[in-house]
Amino acid sequence: MPEAAAPVIAKWIDYFQCEFKVSRNRGTKFGDYRSPFGGKGHRISVNFDLNAYAFLVTTVHEFAHLYTWNQHQHKAKPHGTEWKSNFKRMMKPFFELEIFPPDVKTAITNYLDNPAASSCSDLTLFRALKKYDVKEASVILVEKIPANGLFRWKDGRVFRREERLRKRYRCVEVSTNRVYLFNPVAEVELVS
């Protein structure tokens, strides 16, 4: 995470008596919050491979869950109005510290109008954060694959990119002819 943000997060870890874990990459989520259960206290984990800004946004997202749980336990929806309000409130110190570059700050500000369950569901924020990733030369976004172009997914399967359907691209797995919908900013490998 950005160095200037670390003291704030450290205070939150101490204050909330939270177990904070930097986790392996989980393809389906960037972070996770677990409420106290079975003798264990609050637990937050965040994927290790996120860039500094994405790591911080994810960390704040998970701490907003913790704070909401402390206020309402199971009476509040996971990404309901209480969580949204807490997430906005908990992002403020990082704006005051001017942690984020202008493009990310603008994207987060717009996202905070109505935060979603995941930062990657807001394509503007996701793209702004992705610009700060260390990219492998072979990685390309699905939206950059030409129509009818082939790409390889992380598990080795090969797909043909077809038309865009509202928010996602229709892609056909070459070996099975099964249709899948891909997020435009999913990272894949171009097959030549």
Side-chain angles (χ1 to χ4, degrees), residues 1-189:
M1 78 178 67
E3 190 174 329
V8 176
I9 299 301
K11 284 179 187 173
W12 290 356
I13 292 169
D14 288 341
Y15 178 79
F16 292 114
Q17 298 179 352
C18 173
E19 177 185 321
F20 186 85
K21 179 180 175 184
V22 178
S23 178
R24 63 179 169 70
N25 176 308
R26 294 162 291 187
T28 58
K29 59 186 171 183
F30 296 144
D32 187 50
Y33 165 70
R34 301 280 177 197
S35 60
F37 180 76
K40 294 184 178 182
H42 297 286
R43 290 168 288 153
I44 290 176
S45 61
V46 178
N47 291 5
F48 80 96
D49 59 347
L50 300 175
N51 69 55
Y53 304 117
F55 189 94
L56 179 57
V57 170
T58 302
T59 298
V60 176
H61 176 115
E62 302 308 336
F63 268 103
H65 282 301
L66 184 158
Y67 190 50
T68 304
W69 191 91
N70 275 351
Q71 292 174 318
H72 306 282
Q73 272 86 47
H74 300 290
K75 295 175 187 141
K77 291 183 179 178
H79 296 102
T81 55
E82 299 88 354
W83 174 83
K84 290 177 183 191
S85 175
N86 287 332
F87 183 63
K88 290 177 191 180
R89 183 179 304 119
M90 295 178 91
M91 285 301 296
K92 282 183 183 177
F94 306 106
F95 286 131
E96 291 166 3
L97 290 169
E98 298 186 18
I99 299 284
F100 300 106
D103 59 334
V104 173
K105 183 177 180 180
T106 300
I108 291 172
T109 301
N110 292 335
Y111 172 74
L112 287 175
D113 285 341
N114 187 19
S118 171
S119 59
C120 50
S121 62
D122 183 299
L123 289 180
T124 304
L125 176 56
F126 190 72
R127 283 189 178 102
L129 291 170
K130 277 300 212 189
K131 287 196 311 194
Y132 296 90
D133 283 356
V134 177
K135 293 180 181 69
E136 296 177 35
S138 62
V139 172
I140 187 170
L141 302 179
V142 167
E143 67 185 1
K144 300 292 185 192
I145 302 283
N148 296 313
L150 299 179
F151 65 89
R152 182 171 289 108
W153 184 237
K154 297 169 188 173
D155 62 7
R157 292 183 293 165
V158 175
F159 294 85
R160 181 178 61 254
R161 199 211 87 183
E162 295 187 350
E163 75 275 9
R164 186 170 179 150
L165 306 171
R166 297 177 74 207
K167 291 186 176 183
R168 298 184 181 267
Y169 281 94
R170 180 181 195 272
C171 301
V172 177
E173 184 179 4
V174 173
S175 65
T176 64
N177 251 6
R178 291 182 69 186
V179 175
Y180 294 83
L181 298 178
F182 276 81
N183 188 310
V185 292
E187 294 178 337
V188 296
E189 183 180 336

